[in-house]
Amino acid sequence: MKISERAFRAVGKPLARNEDLRLITGKGRFTDDFNLPGQLWAAMVRSPYPHARIRNVDGRVALQLPKVLAVYSGADCEADGLKEINHNPVPSTKYDLKLTGKDGGAVFIGKHTLLPTDRARYVGEAVAMVVAETREAALTGAENVMVGYEELPFVVGTVEATQPGAPILWDSQTDNILVDSSFGDAAATATAFAKAAHIVSDVFHIGRVTGVPLEPRAALGDYNSETGRYTLYAGSGGAVRQKHELAHVLGVEPKDVRVLSFDVGGNFGTRNRAYVEFGLVMWAARKLGRPVKFRADRSECFLTDYQGRDLVTEVSLAIDESGKFLAMRASNLSNVGARCVSLSPLSKGSGLITGSYNIPLATLRSRAVFSNTMPTQAYRSSGRPEVTFAIERLIDKAATQLNMDRFEIRRRNLVAPSQMPYRNAVGSTYDSGEYEINMDKLLRLADWQGAAARREDAKRRGKLLGIGFANYVESSIGTPKERADLIVSPEGIEVVIGTQPAGQGHETSFAQVTADLLGVPFERVKIILGDTDVVSAGGGTHSGRSMRHASAVIALASDDLVSKAKLLAAQIFHVAEGDVEFDDGVFKITGTNITTDWFDLAKRLKELQLEDFPGGLWVRRDNEMHTPVFPNGACMCEIEIDPETGGIEITRYATVDDVGRCINPLIVHGQTHGGIAQGVGQALWETCYIDPESGQPQNGSFMDYGMPRFNNLPFFKTEISEVLSPTNPFGVKAGGEGGTTPAPAVIMSAVENALAPLGITGVEMPATPAKIWAAIQKADRSALAEYI
Amino acid sequence: MTNIVLTVNGTQVLREVEDNIFLAYFLREQLGLTGTHVGCDTSQCGCCVVHVNGTSVKSCTMLAVQANSADVTTIEGLAKGDVLHPVQRAFKEHHGLQCGFCTPGMIMAAVDLINTYPKPLTAEIVRDEMEGNLCRCTGYHNIVKAILAAADEMRPVVTA
Ligand code: FES
Ligand code: FES
């Protein structure tokens, strides 16, 4: 399919969004906005222990309380034949690195039943459910369920969980390690290391954070005993996926489950996997014959939303005397929590360990480990900020160690455009990109020239200025299949598609693409999402896949639709199909002055009811696209540290992001801003800290989880660079995650740069004022006095 | 249970409410005004901001009975028919929202800020004053722009 830019009237324009009107007037449809007549409420009984055997669940006291109708335990689920959630955690497109178990075999993932029968494996795990007439009664009931626990030894630390003698989470296993795979050419890498002039090594822990979508997760389940169908209202990253997974849990056909997911108040990966409460409310609705609703408190979200990151990476770089990178070694260890719901972070990161650089040889060991913590999942740019952090921080260290300029050492090693498509040392093939041009653009955008003067100025004010820099490359793969229905009516064109936005603006950018492909005004295209009775298939939204997959399948469907419309016009005007031409929204009958358009054709078809066109003028198209794309860019920031308090202010933040074709710059810039905030958040404030002594999570509310706020962020300078990807019709890569990917590296690079005059290195994320202040206290104060 | 009478978006309502129900849930669950959102349980996210007697209030932290005889405006009552409030318009034009969950509270808080702040607004002031509202999607960048743009439109330039 050839895309003609000549017809671009909507694509590339910063059009305001179609979804906004309902959201700014209070008419959004979020999960908790739905209520059904006669609805009951569910509350969860959650384990206070990180690891405990469940001896018994006694609901007798709770059942005596007013309005409490039922108490269910894991045994009840088992008795009813409920199955586990089949998360399918191992990424499996042709281009994902193949992760395996220790012996190269299948990965043991630990069954994810709705409620456990044997043990609780992390603090907050739901072990029983109470259903009552009101939410308050359900919560009171939950407090009165007596669970007989027998405490077990536990382990929460990522490295600790791998050690011999660590408590083992799953009886069938001999340790906690579920993945152990190696990639790359070990012998050649070893040789390169042996002859290297310099070796630079480090170990980083990219800590655990959580997504914090502002809409707390909620679910409303219903069961119709006449039709035998279940209905679930629940915001997610893809209603179609949830439908299939939950049908499996309930032991019914997918057609007997309808999932509705309209407006979703943020996702960031957190909502891409099914939650136990989703299955539980539907099951309880069948058992009790009334709809059942669940709504998590914010503290429940902090405890039991799927969490992110938690990767320990050991990296070494072999470098020759001129500063050229020869080889790399990495060993990455991902903490998946109590059971494995997704290996996407480990897998995504594994393919990108060499970053934006031409490193001819590499070996990588990728491992994953269970621990007594909430399971982790893909979180905003899954896996990529972690490996970007490792390579970029290591290069900063190399520059210091080799006494080279940190830009110069990067320039010397970047993958050049002439090397594209570039296959890196672990087998990922980068599609396109101009990495050094990104760097040059960024240095201009961030006014690198003026940095020295700003540093002097900061000094005069008693502040330590730090400049951070990072390049990045990331991959966007994602579920390979997508489906689109295009339906033409006299009023407009509807596109039914199986992605699931949570603020990314699909109703706008997909309409822009469709409008230009079909040559119709943008205003006449409507995107339909989120009800599995309408949207029959689709891969959901994750991994930056949606714009690329949607534009590709819509392009193919548009071709089909044009063919079909030509056939229709031929019948209507009694000419041969070959006599109908289509150009930019207009159908013309060759050799006549007859012209028509989409809406006229649909109107005539309605009147004529031609039997060759059952259901009207519409097409359904499926597409499968495996080839990944590699968005990339460069990022810079400046911070000022107050040495008296350890406080940090971000004074400048700029990025250049190659997103491939940008369909809507307004939306893409917005995605980048949000992505930056989340990456910066991890570097400076956010952490899901779990006390190793007690196994208790310490961050359960906005009082103790550091969020990016209005007054701790600056304005951002973001520039889009469009190097079209050759892998798909529009040349789309992906936008948004690029804000997050380099952010932790760039901030920590700035922190280190600011503290360099005091000889401070190795401050860990989140670099809170307390940590920085403490480091300054320990440092040589005379260096500070001399510097300021 | 207590009987309360109040005005919500210009309409008088009379309801019997439980003494411990918060205004946010009263609006959402009893009046069906689901535009007011609840994003936390510690009065920190600002998703629930409404106006009570013209002042912005976190409705998750105020009991419905405390709103007895008050005049309450929610996001649903901000536009005049089809004519959007300048702050609503600015949020759309400047892409000040993504998922839209924080948006009703943001807009209601911003309207109050613009209406009542005694000096001309700057980005810095907006950032400090709006600190009680959280957004996870936008990085705040476009929200600040939207508020400043709306302020320009709503407030005559103050000359010294
Ligand atoms: S709901 Fe969070 S402040 Fe009111
Ligand atoms: S737009 Fe999603 S939380 Fe603000």
Side-chain angles (χ1 to χ4, degrees):
Chain A
M1 156 116 218
K2 261 212 245 76
I3 304 289
S4 150
E5 300 200 7
R6 176 177 61 88
F8 283 0
R9 275 178 294 265
V11 168
K13 302 280 179 322
L15 301 182
R17 301 191 318 166
N18 285 334
E19 33 283 86
D20 288 356
L21 184 61
R22 66 171 182 273
L23 297 171
I24 56 178
T25 52
K27 298 197 182 70
R29 291 182 296 169
F30 296 91
T31 302
D32 187 40
D33 298 344
F34 291 91
N35 293 292
L36 293 171
Q39 118 195 336
L40 302 169
W41 283 88
M44 302 299 141
V45 179
R46 299 191 180 278
S47 169
Y49 300 112
H51 203 185
R53 202 178 308 287
I54 301 168
R55 289 233 170 276
N56 67 315
V57 175
D58 181 350
R60 282 172 301 182
V61 176
L63 284 167
Q64 297 301 309
L65 295 171
K67 299 183 188 168
V68 172
L69 299 181
V71 177
Y72 297 121
S73 67
D76 299 312
C77 298
E78 199 173 73
D80 268 18
L82 296 186
K83 301 213 182 62
E84 79 286 356
I85 306 175
N86 53 347
H87 287 294
N88 190 13
V90 189
S92 59
T93 72
K94 285 182 232 162
Y95 293 89
D96 287 303
L97 290 191
K98 300 284 168 285
L99 298 175
T100 62
K102 281 187 285 283
D103 43 7
V107 178
F108 173 83
I109 63 170
K111 259 194 185 183
H112 197 183
T113 48
L114 299 189
L115 297 171
T117 49
D118 56 346
R119 309 180 197 170
R121 289 183 174 80
Y122 57 94
V123 172
E125 179 164 14
V127 296
M129 169 174 65
V130 174
V131 185
E133 295 282 352
T134 65
R135 185 161 185 266
E136 290 63 35
L139 289 166
T140 310
E143 281 171 16
N144 285 283
V145 173
M146 305 298 158
V147 181
Y149 292 107
E150 177 193 329
E151 283 186 70
L152 297 170
F154 61 88
V155 60
V156 295
T158 308
V159 173
E160 289 78 359
T162 65
Q163 312 278 293
I168 298 171
L169 270 81
W170 295 92
D171 277 346
S172 64
Q173 305 297 298
T174 52
D175 58 25
N176 292 316
I177 297 168
L178 62 148
V179 170
D180 194 343
S181 305
S182 294
F183 306 96
D185 186 338
T189 304
T191 313
F193 267 85
K195 65 169 198 233
H198 310 276
I199 292 173
V200 184
S201 305
D202 217 329
V203 183
F204 305 105
H205 182 199
I206 291 83
R208 182 179 282 250
V209 290
T210 184
V212 201
L214 273 201
E215 180 199 10
R217 70 177 198 273
L220 170 59
D222 194 14
Y223 178 74
N224 183 324
S225 56
E226 270 155 44
T227 60
R229 287 192 87 205
Y230 292 92
T231 303
L232 176 74
Y233 295 82
S236 73
V240 175
R241 179 189 184 124
Q242 307 266 347
K243 170 174 98 163
H244 287 273
E245 289 182 352
L246 293 166
H248 171 82
V249 168
L250 296 164
V252 298
E253 291 296 313
K255 69 169 176 45
D256 291 328
V257 178
R258 177 184 186 190
V259 180
L260 301 124
S261 176
F262 297 111
D263 290 309
V264 179
N267 175 358
F268 320 116
T270 305
R271 299 188 206 266
N272 284 348
R273 295 290 181 273
Y275 283 100
V276 292
E277 294 93 354
F278 295 3
L280 288 171
V281 291
M282 285 194 279
W283 172 61
R286 178 168 67 75
K287 288 185 84 69
L288 297 169
R290 288 165 68 180
V292 177
K293 189 169 180 178
F294 166 78
R295 179 178 71 226
D297 280 339
R298 175 56 60 192
S299 47
E300 272 181 297
C301 295
F302 274 115
L303 218 50
T304 59
D305 275 359
Y306 292 123
Q307 301 185 337
R309 314 274 192 249
D310 206 340
L311 183 96
V312 174
T313 171
E314 289 176 45
V315 270
S316 312
L317 205 47
I319 308 172
D320 77 5
E321 47 297 315
S322 73
K324 285 276 309 160
F325 302 158
L326 302 172
M328 181 179 186
R329 261 193 208 125
S331 176
N332 291 355
L333 174 66
S334 165
N335 185 341
V336 299
R339 48 181 66 79
C340 179
V341 305
S342 172
L343 288 167
S344 147
L346 182 63
S347 158
K348 290 272 168 344
S350 295
L352 293 166
I353 51 160
T354 56
S356 316
Y357 307 95
N358 180 22
I359 307 179
L361 293 163
T363 59
L364 164 68
R365 184 174 184 200
S366 299
R367 291 184 301 159
V369 66
F370 291 118
S371 68
N372 292 108
T373 60
M374 180 65 203
T376 53
Q377 215 295 87
Y379 164 62
R380 196 90 205 227
S381 190
S382 169
R384 292 152 278 200
E386 294 92 312
V387 292
T388 303
F389 190 88
I391 184 87
E392 292 295 324
R393 299 300 298 121
L394 196 61
I395 293 174
D396 274 0
K397 187 170 180 179
T400 311
Q401 204 168 309
L402 275 66
N403 202 14
M404 273 181 84
D405 176 73
R406 58 179 156 154
F407 299 101
E408 184 48 37
I409 195 170
R410 286 177 164 92
R411 284 184 198 280
R412 210 165 281 186
N413 290 286
L414 282 172
V415 175
S418 59
Q419 292 174 286
M420 295 289 176
Y422 171 80
R423 191 181 150 88
N424 77 6
V426 284
S428 299
T429 302
Y430 301 174
D431 60 315
S432 62
E434 298 171 344
Y435 299 169
E436 191 168 9
I437 294 177
N438 291 343
M439 257 180 89
D440 289 329
K441 280 188 185 162
L442 178 74
L443 293 181
R444 275 196 303 276
L445 184 70
D447 185 26
W448 166 241
Q449 292 292 334
R454 289 192 294 274
R455 200 189 289 273
E456 285 310 309
D457 176 59
K459 221 164 147 177
R460 271 194 295 278
R461 289 180 283 109
K463 301 278 171 65
L464 303 163
L465 185 124
I467 301 167
F469 177 83
N471 287 311
Y472 75 91
V473 60
E474 53 183 18
S475 60
S476 168
I477 310 179
T479 304
K481 292 184 189 168
E482 193 53 70
R483 167 180 289 181
D485 291 356
L486 302 187
I487 305 150
V488 187
S489 74
E491 292 74 42
I493 293 177
E494 285 187 349
V495 182
V496 180
I497 193 152
T499 62
Q500 180 63 61
Q504 297 91 333
H506 295 178
E507 292 167 55
T508 308
S509 48
F510 296 0
Q512 289 175 270
V513 163
T514 311
D516 285 355
L517 285 167
L518 299 179
V520 301
F522 163 72
E523 295 73 28
R524 297 194 69 173
V525 183
K526 190 164 179 225
I527 309 297
I528 313 282
L529 306 148
D531 174 352
T532 58
D533 274 7
V534 181
V535 182
S536 51
T541 290
H542 55 268
S543 191
R545 72 178 287 280
S546 294
M547 192 66 245
R548 181 166 52 93
H549 278 277
S551 62
V553 73
I554 293 171
L556 294 167
S558 297
D559 272 357
D560 295 353
L561 193 65
V562 168
S563 306
K564 197 159 180 180
K566 282 184 176 174
L567 205 66
L568 173 62
Q571 287 199 20
I572 291 173
F573 298 107
H574 308 290
V575 296
E577 199 189 330
D579 288 336
V580 184
E581 297 163 38
F582 174 76
D583 182 36
D584 201 8
V586 179
F587 294 87
K588 194 169 175 308
I589 311 298
T590 318
T592 72
N593 57 4
I594 300 174
T595 62
T596 178
D597 64 22
W598 291 106
F599 309 111
D600 179 55
L601 283 175
K603 193 163 146 240
R604 287 170 186 261
L605 177 58
K606 223 176 182 175
E607 285 155 9
L608 294 170
Q609 296 288 348
L610 299 176
E611 59 184 52
D612 287 352
F613 299 88
L617 181 50
W618 75 286
V619 294
R620 165 168 295 173
R621 179 71 191 228
D622 287 291
N623 187 34
E624 191 163 337
M625 191 162 72
H626 285 264
T627 319
V629 290
F630 293 80
N632 57 86
C635 177
M636 195 156 185
C637 80
E638 285 178 22
I639 61 164
E640 288 184 10
I641 293 180
D642 182 342
E644 295 308 316
T645 63
I648 296 185
E649 188 185 347
I650 305 169
T651 49
R652 201 167 267 264
Y653 200 107
T655 68
V656 170
D657 299 292
D658 170 8
V659 300
R661 166 100 55 210
C662 173
I663 306 295
N664 184 324
L666 190 67
I667 292 176
V668 171
H669 283 299
Q671 289 293 307
T672 306
H673 300 155
I676 292 170
Q678 287 184 307
V680 170
Q682 168 145 37
L684 293 181
W685 314 291
E686 296 182 40
T687 183
C688 291
Y689 181 76
I690 301 161
D691 176 32
E693 301 298 314
S694 63
Q696 296 292 326
Q698 304 293 301
N699 312 87
S701 78
F702 287 131
M703 325 253 300
D704 36 38
Y705 188 87
M707 288 285 283
R709 291 172 179 270
F710 267 105
N711 61 356
N712 57 20
L713 290 171
F715 282 124
F716 313 112
K717 281 190 179 177
T718 56
E719 189 173 302
I720 294 167
S721 154
E722 294 185 87
V723 180
L724 301 190
S725 172
T727 63
N728 63 85
F730 278 88
V732 170
K733 287 175 184 165
E737 309 296 60
T740 310
T741 305
V746 97
I747 290 281
M748 295 313 288
S749 160
V751 169
E752 195 161 291
N753 184 255
L755 297 175
L758 312 188
I760 297 169
T761 55
V763 176
E764 286 190 358
M765 295 193 290
T768 56
K771 272 188 206 161
I772 291 176
W773 184 83
I776 293 175
Q777 298 312 306
K778 270 193 244 141
D780 178 0
R781 301 281 293 182
S782 64
L784 177 63
E786 211 172 286
Y787 178 76
I788 293 281
Chain B
M1 300 293 270
T2 304
N3 281 315
I4 57 171
V5 188
L6 66 167
T7 309
V8 179
N9 298 332
T11 307
Q12 207 181 58
V13 296
L14 189 153
R15 285 282 193 295
E16 194 185 28
V17 298
E18 289 184 39
D19 294 336
N20 64 356
I21 189 173
F22 287 114
L23 180 60
Y25 290 113
F26 171 72
L27 294 167
R28 288 181 56 79
E29 290 170 1
Q30 302 202 21
L31 303 186
L33 294 170
T34 54
T36 298
H37 297 153
V38 177
C40 73
D41 27 64
T42 50
S43 294
Q44 292 198 302
C45 72
C47 293
C48 60
V49 171
V50 301
H51 293 175
V52 177
N53 298 326
T55 302
S56 62
V57 161
K58 286 181 168 170
S59 65
C60 71
T61 314
M62 181 178 188
L63 295 168
V65 290
Q66 290 176 292
N68 189 17
S69 76
D71 186 358
V72 175
T73 306
T74 70
I75 189 71
E76 289 92 343
L78 194 60
K80 298 274 162 282
D82 281 347
V83 183
L84 295 176
H85 186 281
V87 176
Q88 290 173 309
R89 220 173 338 106
F91 267 65
K92 179 172 161 84
E93 273 162 25
H94 294 270
H95 189 30
L97 63 150
Q98 291 181 23
C99 78
F101 194 79
C102 71
T103 310
M106 284 286 174
I107 291 177
M108 297 310 282
V111 169
D112 188 30
L113 171 65
I114 297 170
N115 281 339
T116 58
Y117 198 77
K119 285 190 249 156
L121 289 176
T122 62
E124 217 185 331
I125 294 170
V126 169
R127 287 181 185 276
D128 278 341
E129 292 292 318
M130 292 291 294
E131 194 256 357
N133 285 69
L134 295 175
C135 173
R136 189 55 156 170
C137 301
T138 63
Y140 305 99
H141 181 107
N142 285 338
I143 299 182
V144 178
K145 292 211 154 154
I147 294 173
L148 290 173
D152 272 351
E153 185 183 331
M154 287 164 63
R155 296 163 62 136
V157 179
V158 184
T159 44

